[in-house]
Amino acid sequence: MRGTGLIQEALFTTETIMAIWYTLVIIMLVLSLFAAVATRRAQSTRPMFVWGFNTMAPVTLAYCYWGSGDWAHKSLLLIFVGVYLLRMNIVLTAWYQNTAASKLNAVIPAKQKPLLAVIMVNTFGWLYCLPFYWAADLRGPFGVVQWAAIVLYVLGTIYHFGSDYQKRRFKQNSDNKGKLLESGFWGTCRHPNYFGDFLIFVSFGLLANHWIGLIAPLANIGQYFGDAIPKNEKMSEERYGKKWQAYKQRVKCFIPFVF
């Protein structure tokens, strides 16, 4: 038993550890197959994002089932993931055409899409959910780390969902056709939805109450700066030209008003 303040973490038995990993391997194999097949049939980026994000649901349930933590820590984990996936499914279904993900459909070669679907399932399942291995095993009253996670989660949700909602409303107005959204959330940084998402993954990492929780936000921000942001910036510059260049000089990239 390891204690951090009033928070205690029970050590998994060898049998439990093996059961967890066997369960996860089965989940990843099944979801990878479904994601690849669905993406290949649709020839669209939407299925790979939907299957990728929703991999978090069964993985989180598996960790909570096998974990020996108390109901409070497991409930917080399930609420975090449940609310996050509810929002993401709204964005990836009803609001999909207004997202950067939809624009990738014309950029990514058809043959690569099924493979990327498999990569997304495993990235979400193994990397992004890894902090939940420890989070589902915690006991005791919430400490500073848990409350910090709640604050960051709320802030991240406001930025993530709020900026996507603002963008959707902007795109629905025919008077804004060809215009660049530069106000509200989008006046604080060029990628407020990504920033909000990053804060949420920082909160996921904090739930672990363990240094290994850093893997989730590091993987998240690595994906953004290594892939999503460069692609998004390139497409935006090609579409808006000088408007984008002026916007880029005036508004910070990721952290509002800072960086």
Side-chain angles (χ1 to χ4, degrees):
M1 191 81 77
R2 179 179 64 82
T4 305
L6 295 176
I7 302 295
Q8 293 182 322
E9 178 186 333
L11 296 177
F12 287 109
T13 64
T14 302
E15 292 78 10
T16 301
I17 292 174
M18 294 303 296
I20 291 173
W21 298 122
Y22 282 143
T23 302
L24 293 185
V25 167
I26 293 172
I27 290 173
M28 298 308 167
L29 288 174
V30 172
L31 293 186
S32 293
L33 177 61
F34 278 112
V37 171
T39 301
R40 183 176 181 181
R41 287 181 176 178
Q43 283 303 303
S44 168
T45 54
R46 185 187 306 209
M48 72 182 191
F49 282 101
V50 172
W51 283 98
F53 277 97
N54 283 288
T55 299
M56 297 179 74
V59 171
T60 303
L61 289 172
Y63 281 137
C64 287
Y65 177 80
W66 292 108
S68 59
D70 57 32
W71 68 269
H73 286 88
K74 289 183 179 180
S75 295
L76 182 62
L77 174 56
L78 290 171
I79 290 171
F80 271 28
V81 175
V83 172
Y84 179 71
L85 290 181
L86 175 62
R87 293 185 301 98
M88 288 310 305
N89 279 290
I90 292 174
V91 172
L92 292 172
T93 53
W95 302 0
Y96 184 70
Q97 295 305 319
N98 300 126
T99 65
S102 66
K103 298 178 178 65
L104 293 175
N105 195 50
V107 178
I108 301 175
K111 292 182 179 180
Q112 292 183 11
K113 291 173 183 175
L115 175 60
L116 288 175
V118 173
I119 293 174
M120 287 197 69
V121 165
N122 285 273
T123 298
F124 275 92
W126 293 114
L127 286 180
Y128 290 164
C129 290
L130 186 59
F132 304 161
Y133 175 85
W134 285 267
D137 206 40
L138 295 177
R139 300 172 181 174
F142 290 170
V144 174
V145 173
Q146 284 70 38
W147 288 112
I150 292 172
V151 171
L152 287 177
Y153 184 85
V154 172
L155 290 176
T157 298
I158 291 172
Y159 246 88
H160 192 201
F161 193 70
S163 58
D164 278 334
Y165 179 73
Q166 182 190 3
K167 186 176 183 180
R168 173 175 167 77
R169 291 293 300 271
F170 183 83
K171 294 290 186 180
Q172 285 181 320
N173 187 341
S174 58
D175 293 337
N176 293 326
K177 186 174 182 180
K179 294 182 179 179
L180 179 63
L181 178 56
E182 305 176 59
S183 60
F185 289 103
W186 301 87
T188 65
C189 64
R190 299 197 301 274
H191 304 280
N193 49 347
Y194 294 166
F195 172 69
D197 196 43
F198 172 68
L199 289 184
I200 291 171
F201 277 89
V202 171
S203 74
F204 287 163
L206 290 176
L207 287 182
N209 205 52
H210 193 287
W211 67 267
I212 202 71
L214 291 173
I215 286 179
L218 287 177
N220 177 264
I221 199 170
Q223 186 273 329
Y224 278 138
F225 278 96
D227 182 55
I229 289 178
K231 286 181 179 177
N232 186 279
E233 298 251 322
K234 181 180 179 181
M235 289 188 292
S236 296
E237 187 165 1
E238 290 174 350
R239 180 176 183 181
Y240 297 108
K242 292 183 179 179
K243 291 181 182 179
W244 178 260
Q245 293 174 6
Y247 175 63
K248 189 174 181 179
Q249 290 180 349
R250 189 177 70 258
V251 179
K252 300 296 183 181
C253 177
F254 192 71
I255 301 176
F257 309 112
V258 178
F259 169 74

